[in-house]
Structures are given as C-alpha cells and as structure tokens.
Amino acid sequence: MQYNPGWNNSSVNLLHVRAVGPGDTLHYVWSSIGAPAVLLVATASASSVLRVNWTRLLSPAPAGAVWIDPPSSVVYSAAVVFTKVFEYSEGRALEELFYPTYDLADFSWDSINHTLNHTALTAEFTGVPATDPGGSFSNGSLAFRVTAYEASGRDGPLPSLLHTANSSKVEFVLAGVAPRGNGSRFALEVVTVEETGVAQKLRSARSIDDEYTPTIFETLSLVAESQNDSSVLSFLQWKATAYGSRTPRREDNIQCRSRDLRAANWSLPVSSVVRAYFGEGVGSTYTVSAINISFGGEDGKVYEEKRYLSWSALLGFGQPPKDTFSPLVISIMAVALGTPTVMLVVGSCVVLFAQRKRYSEYEPIN
C-alpha cells in the first residue's frame, strides 16, 4: 500500500494498493480527488508500476496524469465512482420527496494518512460537504473504509462477506448526519467506467443458507462481462442489507434495495483520477453505467433513531466469490433428511421380521 506515491503533501488522497503474482499484478488506485473513486487495473507483468504526474493530476485538465508502466502490460482496466448521496422521504400520496443532493465531488476530505494501517491493509476516507447551510453534518460525517486482502477468507463482522486475494472491500458509512426530514432514507449512486466491448450486468443469487448473514438470503453482483466470450472481468458484490450499528447484529439490519442499472454516458463521473487515467473522452469512448443503492426500512425510522448506517461491498477481478452450503447447514440437512430415511428403513425391517416370525409358528395344513 502506497499513500500519495511521489508526493509529500497530504492535502489530497491517493492510495495505491498493489498485489503482485508470479506473472501478473493487480492495481487498485483509490482517490478522493473529485468524487471518491477506485481504478482497477490488471497487468500481465509482475513488475508493472503506477506512475503519477502530480502537477497535471491537480490541474483543471488531468488527462494522462495517471498511467501504468509499461502500458503494454495492461490487459484490463475499469473504474468505480461513488458520485452522489440522495436523501428522500415518502409524501402523503406515496410520492418520494427528494432533498438537495449531496454531490460527493464537492466534499472536503480528511487526510487518510492517520487512518492508514499497513498491517491490517485498511484506510478510511472521511469527508463532509464543503458548504453545509443546513448543518446536517455539524456532528456527523460520510466515510468510505477500504480493506485489501492477502488471502481468501471471510470477514468477521456482518455481513461476513466471502473474499479472495483478488478482491478488496469498501464500506460506505454515514455517522451522526442529521436527517432533513421525518423518516428520511438514503441512496448511494455508484457509477462504473468500462472499456468498449464490456457490458455491466446486475445478477441476483438467492440461497437458503443464511448462517453467516442471518435472515439475508440474497446476494447481488454487478459484473463486467466481455461481449466477445461472456467472461466476467470484474465485479462489485454485496448482500441485500445494511446495518445501523458500529457493531452490527441481526436486529440492526436496514433494508437495502438496488434500483435500475442504466446507461449513464450523458453523465461523466466527476473524478480527477478517472479523467487522469481514461482521458477527457471517457464519456464517449468508454461505457458509463450507473446504479442507485437505497437504504431504509418501510418507514425509514431505523437511521433516524440510531444516526448510523453502514453498507459493505466487495470489488475485484474475475468471477465474484460464490457461497456454498456450509458444513453446519450440510450437517443439519443430513440430519433432517437422513433421520426420517433411517427410521423408515429400520421400521420396514422390523415389520418384515415381525411378519416372518409370526407366520413361522404355524404348520402347513397339508
């Protein structure tokens, strides 16, 4: 993990996470310069490195300021941008009443230097609006917590996401932010940038196994598929839940819904790191998609009571991790299905034996 490589000023944030394999390298470039975003770049070289022209990156025209050296080693690149947070409530006629949008490109972000943990591979981007006339953020903040992984495993805290060494976690957190209405709900806009020939698809998988995330049976994945061979190149995966506590439990569950995935070529993500890597023509040359992920119960009271909201997602390269039935659930199913079967077999044997014994006491008449 490198913080602001080649730059000694901590007034801006750029975090480079580099995972090196025997013959390839995975690059994650997180940044809060503009809207918070992450670049995902896979290379076919174990020695590829990130280059940053800081003067150009911090200028009004950042195109070409970020690249991977050697450029020929890049086999895939994409970006995920967290652009806006919406706050809304339902009116009397069941209409959604929206308050002024929080544009994350206009936020002021703290330095992540004091939250960067090279041992745990974590960092936290914390921000507040540059202007807050309503004072909603006077005692609160918005944050994106980033975690990298060195091996496969499962997170301890809910929603206990299953991860691999090819993935990283991002946690979206609203803490102490005062709602602007009764029963306010929130939605996060997530924008993806893909190369030509790659399309985003939203998948939903349901399972009866909720051992690791109690009462949550749905996992959603936003996957980038190659239109040539339908292979999955990258993904953003999450459970259909958020939580209203710093130490989440099942009862702290907040309903999470994903709204329509749509093309967003008309709306270029306001992120300097995206423009710096993909260039000024990203809106026309590359595929831009957007999805809104909303949080809130039926009446929206959960956040109003606790003033805390956290939602976790996994992002990475290749196929998203897929949960299989855990040993505990397999054991329960084996007992539940096996016990009646054993009883049926034993009962049948007892009946047959009893019948044979009863008829053996009689002698044939002739």
mmCIF file of all heavy atoms in Angstrom, residues 26-56:
data_model
loop_
_atom_site.group_PDB
_atom_site.id
_atom_site.type_symbol
_atom_site.label_atom_id
_atom_site.label_comp_id
_atom_site.label_asym_id
_atom_site.label_seq_id
_atom_site.Cartn_x
_atom_site.Cartn_y
_atom_site.Cartn_z
ATOM 1 N N LEU A 26 -2.103 -6.837 -9.883
ATOM 2 C CA LEU A 26 -3.399 -6.177 -9.776
ATOM 3 C C LEU A 26 -3.185 -4.832 -9.071
ATOM 4 O O LEU A 26 -2.564 -4.775 -8.008
ATOM 5 C CB LEU A 26 -4.384 -7.027 -8.971
ATOM 6 C CG LEU A 26 -4.620 -8.459 -9.470
ATOM 7 C CD1 LEU A 26 -5.602 -9.171 -8.549
ATOM 8 C CD2 LEU A 26 -5.120 -8.451 -10.904
ATOM 9 N N HIS A 27 -3.708 -3.773 -9.680
ATOM 10 C CA HIS A 27 -3.578 -2.431 -9.127
ATOM 11 C C HIS A 27 -4.956 -1.897 -8.739
ATOM 12 O O HIS A 27 -5.885 -1.927 -9.548
ATOM 13 C CB HIS A 27 -2.949 -1.474 -10.147
ATOM 14 C CG HIS A 27 -1.568 -1.845 -10.577
ATOM 15 N ND1 HIS A 27 -0.437 -1.367 -9.933
ATOM 16 C CD2 HIS A 27 -1.127 -2.643 -11.586
ATOM 17 C CE1 HIS A 27 0.632 -1.861 -10.540
ATOM 18 N NE2 HIS A 27 0.245 -2.628 -11.538
ATOM 19 N N TYR A 28 -5.068 -1.411 -7.500
ATOM 20 C CA TYR A 28 -6.234 -0.659 -7.052
ATOM 21 C C TYR A 28 -5.747 0.756 -6.719
ATOM 22 O O TYR A 28 -4.845 0.919 -5.894
ATOM 23 C CB TYR A 28 -6.847 -1.262 -5.789
ATOM 24 C CG TYR A 28 -7.472 -2.630 -5.964
ATOM 25 C CD1 TYR A 28 -6.701 -3.781 -5.815
ATOM 26 C CD2 TYR A 28 -8.826 -2.770 -6.248
ATOM 27 C CE1 TYR A 28 -7.263 -5.041 -5.951
ATOM 28 C CE2 TYR A 28 -9.399 -4.019 -6.390
ATOM 29 C CZ TYR A 28 -8.611 -5.148 -6.235
ATOM 30 O OH TYR A 28 -9.164 -6.400 -6.365
ATOM 31 N N VAL A 29 -6.341 1.751 -7.364
ATOM 32 C CA VAL A 29 -5.954 3.142 -7.109
ATOM 33 C C VAL A 29 -7.178 3.872 -6.564
ATOM 34 O O VAL A 29 -8.098 4.228 -7.313
ATOM 35 C CB VAL A 29 -5.432 3.829 -8.387
ATOM 36 C CG1 VAL A 29 -4.937 5.233 -8.053
ATOM 37 C CG2 VAL A 29 -4.305 3.008 -9.015
ATOM 38 N N TRP A 30 -7.206 4.081 -5.243
ATOM 39 C CA TRP A 30 -8.307 4.784 -4.579
ATOM 40 C C TRP A 30 -7.968 6.265 -4.477
ATOM 41 O O TRP A 30 -6.822 6.634 -4.193
ATOM 42 C CB TRP A 30 -8.528 4.238 -3.175
ATOM 43 C CG TRP A 30 -8.860 2.784 -3.104
ATOM 44 C CD1 TRP A 30 -7.982 1.737 -3.058
ATOM 45 C CD2 TRP A 30 -10.156 2.204 -3.085
ATOM 46 N NE1 TRP A 30 -8.663 0.537 -2.998
ATOM 47 C CE2 TRP A 30 -10.001 0.794 -3.010
ATOM 48 C CE3 TRP A 30 -11.461 2.743 -3.107
ATOM 49 C CZ2 TRP A 30 -11.084 -0.075 -2.959
ATOM 50 C CZ3 TRP A 30 -12.530 1.871 -3.051
ATOM 51 C CH2 TRP A 30 -12.341 0.482 -2.988
ATOM 52 N N SER A 31 -8.958 7.108 -4.670
ATOM 53 C CA SER A 31 -8.693 8.544 -4.619
ATOM 54 C C SER A 31 -9.950 9.313 -4.220
ATOM 55 O O SER A 31 -11.072 8.917 -4.568
ATOM 56 C CB SER A 31 -8.201 9.044 -5.975
ATOM 57 O OG SER A 31 -8.080 10.458 -5.976
ATOM 58 N N SER A 32 -9.767 10.391 -3.490
ATOM 59 C CA SER A 32 -10.866 11.313 -3.178
ATOM 60 C C SER A 32 -10.620 12.674 -3.829
ATOM 61 O O SER A 32 -11.159 13.687 -3.386
ATOM 62 C CB SER A 32 -11.028 11.467 -1.657
ATOM 63 O OG SER A 32 -9.841 12.002 -1.075
ATOM 64 N N ILE A 33 -9.801 12.696 -4.868
ATOM 65 C CA ILE A 33 -9.622 13.912 -5.665
ATOM 66 C C ILE A 33 -10.809 13.978 -6.620
ATOM 67 O O ILE A 33 -10.907 13.194 -7.560
ATOM 68 C CB ILE A 33 -8.299 13.889 -6.446
ATOM 69 C CG1 ILE A 33 -7.123 13.679 -5.497
ATOM 70 C CG2 ILE A 33 -8.110 15.181 -7.227
ATOM 71 C CD1 ILE A 33 -5.788 13.456 -6.199
ATOM 72 N N GLY A 34 -11.737 14.874 -6.376
ATOM 73 C CA GLY A 34 -13.016 14.831 -7.050
ATOM 74 C C GLY A 34 -13.911 13.851 -6.315
ATOM 75 O O GLY A 34 -13.784 13.649 -5.098
ATOM 76 N N ALA A 35 -14.842 13.209 -7.020
ATOM 77 C CA ALA A 35 -15.678 12.197 -6.382
ATOM 78 C C ALA A 35 -14.829 10.991 -6.012
ATOM 79 O O ALA A 35 -13.929 10.606 -6.752
ATOM 80 C CB ALA A 35 -16.811 11.792 -7.328
ATOM 81 N N PRO A 36 -15.103 10.348 -4.861
ATOM 82 C CA PRO A 36 -14.332 9.165 -4.476
ATOM 83 C C PRO A 36 -14.426 8.085 -5.548
ATOM 84 O O PRO A 36 -15.511 7.796 -6.074
ATOM 85 C CB PRO A 36 -15.007 8.704 -3.179
ATOM 86 C CG PRO A 36 -15.708 9.914 -2.667
ATOM 87 C CD PRO A 36 -16.122 10.699 -3.862
ATOM 88 N N ALA A 37 -13.299 7.493 -5.888
ATOM 89 C CA ALA A 37 -13.263 6.518 -6.979
ATOM 90 C C ALA A 37 -12.133 5.538 -6.765
ATOM 91 O O ALA A 37 -11.215 5.769 -5.973
ATOM 92 C CB ALA A 37 -13.085 7.239 -8.326
ATOM 93 N N VAL A 38 -12.223 4.421 -7.496
ATOM 94 C CA VAL A 38 -11.148 3.444 -7.500
ATOM 95 C C VAL A 38 -10.938 2.972 -8.927
ATOM 96 O O VAL A 38 -11.882 2.654 -9.645
ATOM 97 C CB VAL A 38 -11.460 2.253 -6.563
ATOM 98 C CG1 VAL A 38 -12.787 1.594 -6.912
ATOM 99 C CG2 VAL A 38 -10.338 1.222 -6.614
ATOM 100 N N LEU A 39 -9.674 2.964 -9.344
ATOM 101 C CA LEU A 39 -9.283 2.371 -10.617
ATOM 102 C C LEU A 39 -8.893 0.929 -10.376
ATOM 103 O O LEU A 39 -8.183 0.617 -9.410
ATOM 104 C CB LEU A 39 -8.092 3.118 -11.219
ATOM 105 C CG LEU A 39 -8.263 4.564 -11.646
ATOM 106 C CD1 LEU A 39 -6.918 5.136 -12.086
ATOM 107 C CD2 LEU A 39 -9.273 4.667 -12.776
ATOM 108 N N LEU A 40 -9.340 0.040 -11.257
ATOM 109 C CA LEU A 40 -8.951 -1.364 -11.194
ATOM 110 C C LEU A 40 -8.178 -1.680 -12.473
ATOM 111 O O LEU A 40 -8.730 -1.583 -13.568
ATOM 112 C CB LEU A 40 -10.163 -2.279 -11.085
ATOM 113 C CG LEU A 40 -11.003 -2.177 -9.803
ATOM 114 C CD1 LEU A 40 -12.086 -1.124 -9.967
ATOM 115 C CD2 LEU A 40 -11.645 -3.523 -9.485
ATOM 116 N N VAL A 41 -6.911 -2.024 -12.329
ATOM 117 C CA VAL A 41 -6.069 -2.291 -13.492
ATOM 118 C C VAL A 41 -5.349 -3.623 -13.278
ATOM 119 O O VAL A 41 -4.666 -3.812 -12.272
ATOM 120 C CB VAL A 41 -5.033 -1.166 -13.710
ATOM 121 C CG1 VAL A 41 -4.240 -1.439 -14.990
ATOM 122 C CG2 VAL A 41 -5.708 0.199 -13.781
ATOM 123 N N ALA A 42 -5.514 -4.533 -14.233
ATOM 124 C CA ALA A 42 -4.818 -5.820 -14.208
ATOM 125 C C ALA A 42 -3.763 -5.821 -15.298
ATOM 126 O O ALA A 42 -4.026 -5.417 -16.432
ATOM 127 C CB ALA A 42 -5.802 -6.966 -14.429
ATOM 128 N N THR A 43 -2.556 -6.264 -14.959
ATOM 129 C CA THR A 43 -1.464 -6.297 -15.930
ATOM 130 C C THR A 43 -0.888 -7.699 -16.019
ATOM 131 O O THR A 43 -1.013 -8.507 -15.086
ATOM 132 C CB THR A 43 -0.336 -5.325 -15.545
ATOM 133 O OG1 THR A 43 0.350 -5.825 -14.384
ATOM 134 C CG2 THR A 43 -0.878 -3.934 -15.260
ATOM 135 N N ALA A 44 -0.241 -7.984 -17.138
ATOM 136 C CA ALA A 44 0.396 -9.284 -17.358
ATOM 137 C C ALA A 44 1.882 -9.219 -17.056
ATOM 138 O O ALA A 44 2.694 -9.892 -17.682
ATOM 139 C CB ALA A 44 0.164 -9.737 -18.794
ATOM 140 N N SER A 45 2.246 -8.418 -16.075
ATOM 141 C CA SER A 45 3.645 -8.267 -15.690
ATOM 142 C C SER A 45 3.746 -8.176 -14.175
ATOM 143 O O SER A 45 2.947 -7.488 -13.535
ATOM 144 C CB SER A 45 4.233 -7.003 -16.321
ATOM 145 O OG SER A 45 5.507 -6.703 -15.766
ATOM 146 N N ALA A 46 4.726 -8.871 -13.610
ATOM 147 C CA ALA A 46 4.941 -8.817 -12.168
ATOM 148 C C ALA A 46 5.732 -7.585 -11.752
ATOM 149 O O ALA A 46 5.935 -7.356 -10.558
ATOM 150 C CB ALA A 46 5.664 -10.079 -11.705
ATOM 151 N N SER A 47 6.157 -6.784 -12.720
ATOM 152 C CA SER A 47 6.962 -5.604 -12.401
ATOM 153 C C SER A 47 6.287 -4.303 -12.848
ATOM 154 O O SER A 47 6.943 -3.261 -12.880
ATOM 155 C CB SER A 47 8.338 -5.717 -13.060
ATOM 156 O OG SER A 47 8.222 -5.859 -14.468
ATOM 157 N N SER A 48 5.001 -4.336 -13.193
ATOM 158 C CA SER A 48 4.318 -3.106 -13.607
ATOM 159 C C SER A 48 4.163 -2.164 -12.412
ATOM 160 O O SER A 48 3.957 -2.598 -11.278
ATOM 161 C CB SER A 48 2.954 -3.434 -14.202
ATOM 162 O OG SER A 48 2.133 -4.086 -13.247
ATOM 163 N N VAL A 49 4.270 -0.885 -12.672
ATOM 164 C CA VAL A 49 4.223 0.114 -11.599
ATOM 165 C C VAL A 49 3.279 1.243 -11.990
ATOM 166 O O VAL A 49 2.996 1.482 -13.164
ATOM 167 C CB VAL A 49 5.624 0.694 -11.300
ATOM 168 C CG1 VAL A 49 6.538 -0.370 -10.734
ATOM 169 C CG2 VAL A 49 6.217 1.316 -12.551
ATOM 170 N N LEU A 50 2.789 1.951 -10.963
ATOM 171 C CA LEU A 50 1.918 3.104 -11.166
ATOM 172 C C LEU A 50 2.753 4.360 -11.309
ATOM 173 O O LEU A 50 3.690 4.587 -10.533
ATOM 174 C CB LEU A 50 0.965 3.250 -9.976
ATOM 175 C CG LEU A 50 0.068 4.487 -9.973
ATOM 176 C CD1 LEU A 50 -1.034 4.357 -11.030
ATOM 177 C CD2 LEU A 50 -0.546 4.708 -8.584
ATOM 178 N N ARG A 51 2.417 5.192 -12.298
ATOM 179 C CA ARG A 51 3.086 6.476 -12.483
ATOM 180 C C ARG A 51 2.058 7.594 -12.334
ATOM 181 O O ARG A 51 0.924 7.480 -12.821
ATOM 182 C CB ARG A 51 3.716 6.564 -13.872
ATOM 183 C CG ARG A 51 4.715 5.463 -14.201
ATOM 184 C CD ARG A 51 5.941 5.528 -13.329
ATOM 185 N NE ARG A 51 6.964 4.574 -13.761
ATOM 186 C CZ ARG A 51 8.047 4.299 -13.070
ATOM 187 N NH1 ARG A 51 8.260 4.882 -11.884
ATOM 188 N NH2 ARG A 51 8.927 3.415 -13.534
ATOM 189 N N VAL A 52 2.450 8.674 -11.657
ATOM 190 C CA VAL A 52 1.549 9.801 -11.438
ATOM 191 C C VAL A 52 2.285 11.100 -11.725
ATOM 192 O O VAL A 52 3.347 11.360 -11.157
ATOM 193 C CB VAL A 52 1.008 9.838 -9.983
ATOM 194 C CG1 VAL A 52 0.041 11.011 -9.801
ATOM 195 C CG2 VAL A 52 0.310 8.522 -9.632
ATOM 196 N N ASN A 53 1.717 11.922 -12.599
ATOM 197 C CA ASN A 53 2.191 13.284 -12.829
ATOM 198 C C ASN A 53 1.325 14.196 -11.967
ATOM 199 O O ASN A 53 0.210 14.575 -12.348
ATOM 200 C CB ASN A 53 2.076 13.650 -14.311
ATOM 201 C CG ASN A 53 2.619 15.027 -14.615
ATOM 202 O OD1 ASN A 53 2.519 15.952 -13.809
ATOM 203 N ND2 ASN A 53 3.184 15.192 -15.804
ATOM 204 N N TRP A 54 1.826 14.548 -10.791
ATOM 205 C CA TRP A 54 1.004 15.254 -9.821
ATOM 206 C C TRP A 54 0.625 16.660 -10.286
ATOM 207 O O TRP A 54 -0.490 17.124 -10.010
ATOM 208 C CB TRP A 54 1.728 15.314 -8.481
ATOM 209 C CG TRP A 54 1.647 14.016 -7.747
ATOM 210 C CD1 TRP A 54 2.573 13.014 -7.724
ATOM 211 C CD2 TRP A 54 0.550 13.552 -6.957
ATOM 212 N NE1 TRP A 54 2.140 11.966 -6.965
ATOM 213 C CE2 TRP A 54 0.899 12.263 -6.474
ATOM 214 C CE3 TRP A 54 -0.678 14.100 -6.603
ATOM 215 C CZ2 TRP A 54 0.048 11.526 -5.658
ATOM 216 C CZ3 TRP A 54 -1.531 13.366 -5.792
ATOM 217 C CH2 TRP A 54 -1.165 12.098 -5.333
ATOM 218 N N THR A 55 1.502 17.323 -10.961
ATOM 219 C CA THR A 55 1.181 18.670 -11.444
ATOM 220 C C THR A 55 -0.021 18.627 -12.387
ATOM 221 O O THR A 55 -0.955 19.436 -12.281
ATOM 222 C CB THR A 55 2.392 19.288 -12.168
ATOM 223 O OG1 THR A 55 3.502 19.300 -11.278
ATOM 224 C CG2 THR A 55 2.073 20.690 -12.632
ATOM 225 N N ARG A 56 -0.017 17.653 -13.280
ATOM 226 C CA ARG A 56 -1.134 17.533 -14.212
ATOM 227 C C ARG A 56 -2.380 17.002 -13.506
ATOM 228 O O ARG A 56 -3.502 17.428 -13.802
ATOM 229 C CB ARG A 56 -0.754 16.604 -15.358
ATOM 230 C CG ARG A 56 -1.836 16.470 -16.433
ATOM 231 C CD ARG A 56 -1.399 15.552 -17.551
ATOM 232 N NE ARG A 56 -0.227 16.086 -18.255
ATOM 233 C CZ ARG A 56 0.390 15.444 -19.238
ATOM 234 N NH1 ARG A 56 -0.040 14.228 -19.613
ATOM 235 N NH2 ARG A 56 1.436 15.983 -19.830
#
